[in-house]
Amino acid sequence: MTTTTGSDWQAWQQSWDRQQEWYLPDREERFRVMLDMVGALVGPEPRVLDLACGTGSITARLFERFPKAVSTGVDLDPALLTIAEGTFAGDDRVTFVTADLKDPDWTSRLPHDSYDAVLTATALHWLHSEPLAVLYGQVAGLVRDGGVFMNADHMIDETTPRLNAADRAQRHARMDEAKAAGVLDWSEWWQLAAQDPVLAEPTARRFEIYGEHAEGDTPSAAWHARVLREKGFAEAREVWRSPSDALVLALK
Protein backbone atom coordinates (compact mmCIF):
# COMPACT_ATOMS: atom_id res chain seq x y z
CA MET A 1 0.00 0.00 0.00
CA THR A 2 1.60 3.29 -1.07
CA THR A 3 1.45 6.37 1.12
CA THR A 4 0.09 9.59 -0.35
CA THR A 5 1.48 12.89 0.86
CA GLY A 6 -0.99 15.36 2.28
CA SER A 7 0.08 18.12 -0.10
CA ASP A 8 -0.64 16.03 -3.21
CA TRP A 9 -4.35 16.79 -3.29
CA GLN A 10 -4.89 15.42 -6.78
CA ALA A 11 -3.48 12.07 -5.66
CA TRP A 12 -5.87 12.05 -2.71
CA GLN A 13 -8.77 12.86 -5.05
CA GLN A 14 -7.84 9.99 -7.33
CA SER A 15 -7.47 7.66 -4.36
CA TRP A 16 -10.93 8.66 -3.11
CA ASP A 17 -12.43 8.12 -6.57
CA ARG A 18 -10.93 4.64 -6.86
CA GLN A 19 -12.19 3.69 -3.40
CA GLN A 20 -15.70 4.94 -4.21
CA GLU A 21 -15.72 3.21 -7.59
CA TRP A 22 -15.03 -0.09 -5.85
CA TYR A 23 -18.53 0.23 -4.38
CA LEU A 24 -20.03 2.16 -7.32
CA PRO A 25 -18.68 1.05 -10.72
CA ASP A 26 -21.19 3.31 -12.49
CA ARG A 27 -20.29 6.40 -10.41
CA GLU A 28 -19.19 8.46 -13.41
CA GLU A 29 -22.36 7.58 -15.31
CA ARG A 30 -24.57 9.04 -12.58
CA PHE A 31 -22.45 12.19 -12.56
CA ARG A 32 -22.79 12.46 -16.35
CA VAL A 33 -26.58 12.17 -16.25
CA MET A 34 -26.73 14.63 -13.36
CA LEU A 35 -24.78 17.26 -15.31
CA ASP A 36 -26.76 16.53 -18.48
CA MET A 37 -29.88 17.50 -16.55
CA VAL A 38 -28.23 20.61 -15.11
CA GLY A 39 -27.41 21.78 -18.63
CA ALA A 40 -30.85 20.93 -19.95
CA LEU A 41 -32.82 22.61 -17.16
CA VAL A 42 -30.77 25.55 -15.84
CA GLY A 43 -28.12 26.17 -18.51
CA PRO A 44 -24.32 26.29 -18.74
CA GLU A 45 -23.56 28.89 -16.03
CA PRO A 46 -25.37 27.52 -12.96
CA ARG A 47 -25.00 28.49 -9.33
CA VAL A 48 -24.75 25.10 -7.63
CA LEU A 49 -24.92 23.85 -4.06
CA ASP A 50 -22.79 20.70 -3.75
CA LEU A 51 -24.61 19.13 -0.80
CA ALA A 52 -22.57 16.84 1.46
CA CYS A 53 -19.75 17.58 -0.96
CA GLY A 54 -17.00 15.40 0.51
CA THR A 55 -13.81 15.96 -1.48
CA GLY A 56 -15.69 18.03 -4.07
CA SER A 57 -16.28 15.23 -6.58
CA ILE A 58 -19.39 16.84 -8.07
CA THR A 59 -17.84 20.32 -8.13
CA ALA A 60 -14.77 19.03 -10.01
CA ARG A 61 -16.93 17.47 -12.71
CA LEU A 62 -19.22 20.53 -12.76
CA PHE A 63 -16.28 22.82 -13.57
CA GLU A 64 -14.98 20.45 -16.24
CA ARG A 65 -18.38 20.50 -17.92
CA PHE A 66 -19.40 24.11 -17.19
CA PRO A 67 -16.32 26.32 -16.63
CA LYS A 68 -18.47 29.38 -15.82
CA ALA A 69 -20.41 27.60 -13.06
CA VAL A 70 -20.02 28.60 -9.41
CA SER A 71 -20.32 26.18 -6.52
CA THR A 72 -20.84 26.12 -2.78
CA GLY A 73 -19.64 22.89 -1.17
CA VAL A 74 -21.13 22.08 2.23
CA ASP A 75 -20.07 19.21 4.48
CA LEU A 76 -19.21 18.41 8.09
CA ASP A 77 -16.35 15.96 7.49
CA PRO A 78 -13.09 17.80 8.35
CA ALA A 79 -10.83 15.35 6.52
CA LEU A 80 -12.74 15.33 3.24
CA LEU A 81 -13.13 19.12 3.42
CA THR A 82 -9.37 19.44 3.91
CA ILE A 83 -8.85 17.55 0.66
CA ALA A 84 -11.52 19.64 -1.10
CA GLU A 85 -10.05 22.93 0.11
CA GLY A 86 -6.54 21.86 -0.91
CA THR A 87 -7.72 20.73 -4.34
CA PHE A 88 -9.58 23.95 -5.15
CA ALA A 89 -7.23 26.41 -3.41
CA GLY A 90 -7.19 29.69 -5.35
CA ASP A 91 -10.30 28.86 -7.41
CA ASP A 92 -12.73 31.69 -6.68
CA ARG A 93 -15.60 29.79 -8.33
CA VAL A 94 -16.04 27.62 -5.23
CA THR A 95 -16.66 28.27 -1.54
CA PHE A 96 -16.60 25.54 1.09
CA VAL A 97 -18.80 25.69 4.18
CA THR A 98 -18.59 23.51 7.29
CA ALA A 99 -22.10 22.71 8.47
CA ASP A 100 -24.15 19.87 9.93
CA LEU A 101 -27.16 19.15 7.70
CA LYS A 102 -29.08 18.09 10.81
CA ASP A 103 -28.61 21.58 12.30
CA PRO A 104 -31.88 23.51 11.73
CA ASP A 105 -29.88 26.64 10.88
CA TRP A 106 -27.31 25.14 8.48
CA THR A 107 -28.64 27.15 5.52
CA SER A 108 -27.73 30.41 7.29
CA ARG A 109 -24.05 29.58 6.72
CA LEU A 110 -24.41 29.57 2.93
CA PRO A 111 -23.12 32.52 0.87
CA HIS A 112 -26.24 32.62 -1.34
CA ASP A 113 -29.97 32.62 -0.57
CA SER A 114 -30.89 30.59 -3.64
CA TYR A 115 -29.37 28.18 -6.14
CA ASP A 116 -30.08 27.06 -9.69
CA ALA A 117 -29.22 23.48 -8.74
CA VAL A 118 -28.61 21.52 -5.55
CA LEU A 119 -26.70 18.30 -6.23
CA THR A 120 -25.72 15.38 -4.00
CA ALA A 121 -24.48 11.83 -4.52
CA THR A 122 -23.97 8.81 -2.28
CA ALA A 123 -24.26 10.84 0.91
CA LEU A 124 -27.80 11.28 2.22
CA HIS A 125 -28.21 7.57 3.02
CA TRP A 126 -26.41 8.54 6.23
CA LEU A 127 -29.68 10.14 7.33
CA HIS A 128 -32.82 8.41 8.54
CA SER A 129 -36.03 9.10 6.66
CA GLU A 130 -37.48 11.67 9.07
CA PRO A 131 -34.47 14.05 9.12
CA LEU A 132 -34.05 13.49 5.38
CA ALA A 133 -37.62 14.67 4.79
CA VAL A 134 -36.86 17.77 6.88
CA LEU A 135 -33.73 18.38 4.82
CA TYR A 136 -35.73 18.10 1.61
CA GLY A 137 -37.99 20.88 2.86
CA GLN A 138 -34.95 23.07 3.51
CA VAL A 139 -33.54 22.28 0.08
CA ALA A 140 -36.86 23.23 -1.53
CA GLY A 141 -36.45 26.64 0.07
CA LEU A 142 -32.99 27.06 -1.48
CA VAL A 143 -33.82 26.09 -5.07
CA ARG A 144 -35.09 28.95 -7.22
CA ASP A 145 -38.30 28.59 -9.24
CA GLY A 146 -37.39 26.53 -12.29
CA GLY A 147 -34.29 25.18 -10.53
CA VAL A 148 -33.48 21.56 -9.77
CA PHE A 149 -32.45 19.23 -6.98
CA MET A 150 -30.82 15.88 -7.71
CA ASN A 151 -29.89 13.05 -5.38
CA ALA A 152 -28.02 9.97 -6.61
CA ASP A 153 -27.88 7.33 -3.88
CA HIS A 154 -28.73 3.82 -2.74
CA MET A 155 -32.47 3.48 -3.39
CA ILE A 156 -33.59 -0.10 -2.96
CA ASP A 157 -36.89 -1.35 -4.39
CA GLU A 158 -38.00 -3.81 -1.72
CA THR A 159 -40.73 -5.23 -3.99
CA THR A 160 -38.09 -7.26 -5.93
CA PRO A 161 -36.24 -9.31 -3.28
CA ARG A 162 -34.90 -12.02 -5.64
CA LEU A 163 -33.62 -9.47 -8.13
CA ASN A 164 -32.00 -7.53 -5.27
CA ALA A 165 -30.31 -10.65 -3.92
CA ALA A 166 -28.92 -11.58 -7.33
CA ASP A 167 -27.60 -8.05 -7.85
CA ARG A 168 -26.02 -8.04 -4.39
CA ALA A 169 -24.28 -11.36 -5.03
CA GLN A 170 -22.96 -10.19 -8.40
CA ARG A 171 -21.70 -6.89 -6.98
CA HIS A 172 -19.91 -8.57 -4.09
CA ALA A 173 -18.26 -11.10 -6.40
CA ARG A 174 -16.93 -8.23 -8.53
CA MET A 175 -15.79 -6.36 -5.41
CA ASP A 176 -13.95 -9.44 -4.14
CA GLU A 177 -12.05 -9.67 -7.42
CA ALA A 178 -11.07 -6.00 -7.27
CA LYS A 179 -10.05 -6.33 -3.62
CA ALA A 180 -7.78 -9.24 -4.49
CA ALA A 181 -6.18 -6.98 -7.11
CA GLY A 182 -5.31 -4.42 -4.43
CA VAL A 183 -8.18 -1.92 -4.39
CA LEU A 184 -8.60 -0.05 -1.09
CA ASP A 185 -11.92 -0.38 0.70
CA TRP A 186 -13.51 2.29 2.94
CA SER A 187 -11.74 1.36 6.17
CA GLU A 188 -8.35 0.93 4.49
CA TRP A 189 -8.63 4.33 2.83
CA TRP A 190 -9.30 5.97 6.19
CA GLN A 191 -6.38 4.09 7.75
CA LEU A 192 -4.17 5.60 5.05
CA ALA A 193 -5.55 9.08 5.72
CA ALA A 194 -4.87 8.67 9.45
CA GLN A 195 -1.21 8.01 8.69
CA ASP A 196 -0.76 11.18 6.63
CA PRO A 197 0.84 14.11 8.50
CA VAL A 198 -1.64 16.64 7.09
CA LEU A 199 -4.80 14.53 7.27
CA ALA A 200 -4.19 12.69 10.56
CA GLU A 201 -5.72 15.37 12.81
CA PRO A 202 -8.83 16.09 10.69
CA THR A 203 -9.31 12.33 10.25
CA ALA A 204 -9.31 11.85 14.03
CA ARG A 205 -11.91 14.64 14.34
CA ARG A 206 -13.96 13.04 11.60
CA PHE A 207 -14.28 9.79 13.54
CA GLU A 208 -15.21 11.73 16.69
CA ILE A 209 -18.10 13.25 14.73
CA TYR A 210 -19.34 10.22 12.80
CA GLY A 211 -18.01 7.10 14.44
CA GLU A 212 -17.11 4.23 12.14
CA HIS A 213 -20.11 4.53 9.84
CA ALA A 214 -23.55 6.06 10.29
CA GLU A 215 -26.58 3.84 9.73
CA GLY A 216 -29.29 5.72 7.89
CA ASP A 217 -32.13 4.57 5.63
CA THR A 218 -32.29 3.63 1.95
CA PRO A 219 -35.91 4.26 0.91
CA SER A 220 -37.05 3.69 -2.66
CA ALA A 221 -36.83 6.25 -5.46
CA ALA A 222 -40.62 6.49 -5.30
CA TRP A 223 -40.38 7.57 -1.64
CA HIS A 224 -37.84 10.28 -2.51
CA ALA A 225 -39.98 11.59 -5.38
CA ARG A 226 -43.14 11.65 -3.26
CA VAL A 227 -41.50 13.45 -0.35
CA LEU A 228 -39.85 15.99 -2.63
CA ARG A 229 -43.23 16.85 -4.14
CA GLU A 230 -44.73 17.10 -0.67
CA LYS A 231 -41.96 19.51 0.34
CA GLY A 232 -42.58 21.96 -2.47
CA PHE A 233 -41.19 20.68 -5.77
CA ALA A 234 -43.55 20.74 -8.75
CA GLU A 235 -42.18 17.60 -10.42
CA ALA A 236 -39.99 14.76 -9.19
CA ARG A 237 -39.02 11.38 -10.60
CA GLU A 238 -36.22 8.92 -11.20
CA VAL A 239 -34.08 9.88 -14.22
CA TRP A 240 -31.40 7.17 -13.98
CA ARG A 241 -30.96 3.90 -12.17
CA SER A 242 -28.82 0.82 -11.71
CA PRO A 243 -30.11 -2.35 -10.03
CA SER A 244 -29.40 -0.89 -6.56
CA ASP A 245 -29.04 2.90 -6.99
CA ALA A 246 -31.02 5.70 -8.57
CA LEU A 247 -30.85 9.38 -9.45
CA VAL A 248 -33.99 11.29 -8.49
CA LEU A 249 -34.55 14.75 -9.99
CA ALA A 250 -36.95 17.31 -8.54
CA LEU A 251 -37.94 20.45 -10.45
CA LYS A 252 -39.13 23.54 -8.56
Side-chain angles (χ1 to χ4, degrees):
M1 187 182 298
T2 58
T3 301
T4 309
T5 60
S7 59
D8 191 347
W9 301 119
Q10 199 55 49
W12 276 112
Q13 288 284 0
Q14 292 170 359
S15 175
W16 178 258
D17 284 345
R18 299 296 83 75
Q19 179 259 125
Q20 288 288 287
E21 287 166 357
W22 183 61
Y23 298 96
L24 307 164
D26 45 29
R27 185 168 179 256
E28 293 301 329
E29 178 68 6
R30 70 190 70 193
F31 288 147
R32 183 192 66 77
V33 174
M34 181 180 280
L35 295 177
D36 281 351
M37 293 294 96
V38 168
L41 290 165
V42 298
E45 300 181 24
R47 178 192 289 170
V48 171
L49 177 59
D50 187 348
L51 191 68
C53 65
T55 66
S57 297
I58 289 175
T59 292
R61 288 152 180 81
L62 174 75
F63 289 165
E64 289 173 5
R65 181 77 170 269
F66 305 116
K68 294 184 179 180
V70 295
S71 178
T72 302
V74 59
D75 208 303
L76 186 61
D77 189 312
L80 298 185
L81 281 173
T82 297
I83 296 172
E85 289 165 352
T87 300
F88 294 94
D91 192 333
D92 60 8
R93 296 173 296 176
V94 61
T95 302
F96 289 104
V97 175
T98 300
D100 184 348
L101 298 182
K102 291 185 285 187
D103 179 349
D105 298 320
W106 72 269
T107 58
S108 67
R109 296 173 176 261
L110 301 177
H112 305 290
D113 293 330
S114 68
Y115 289 86
D116 301 309
V118 178
L119 309 176
T120 189
T122 326
L124 300 188
H125 64 271
W126 286 59
L127 296 175
H128 289 287
S129 298
E130 186 172 330
L132 180 56
V134 171
L135 178 65
Y136 278 173
Q138 294 170 313
V139 168
L142 291 170
V143 176
R144 68 161 172 84
D145 287 347
V148 296
F149 167 70
M150 281 180 269
N151 178 15
D153 210 341
H154 310 311
M155 299 183 188
I156 305 298
D157 187 338
E158 299 294 352
T159 67
T160 57
R162 288 185 298 163
L163 188 158
N164 297 347
D167 170 61
R168 190 179 306 112
Q170 185 273 334
R171 282 189 291 112
H172 281 278
R174 176 191 54 77
M175 290 166 70
D176 289 345
E177 290 179 4
K179 193 75 166 56
V183 173
L184 295 178
D185 64 18
W186 170 268
S187 61
E188 288 170 333
W189 190 90
W190 282 109
Q191 289 168 19
L192 198 64
Q195 296 166 14
D196 184 89
V198 177
L199 291 176
E201 190 273 336
T203 295
R205 285 192 285 122
R206 181 243 178 247
F207 280 94
E208 289 175 4
I209 293 168
Y210 292 108
E212 184 60 34
H213 203 289
E215 294 297 332
D217 296 329
T218 54
S220 68
W223 180 95
H224 288 272
R226 174 179 60 78
V227 172
L228 286 162
R229 287 191 295 268
E230 290 172 355
K231 295 298 182 179
F233 287 92
E235 300 177 19
R237 71 170 176 88
E238 177 185 298
V239 293
W240 171 91
R241 87 156 302 123
S242 71
S244 59
D245 288 29
L247 170 60
V248 168
L249 182 152
L251 183 63
K252 190 75 177 290

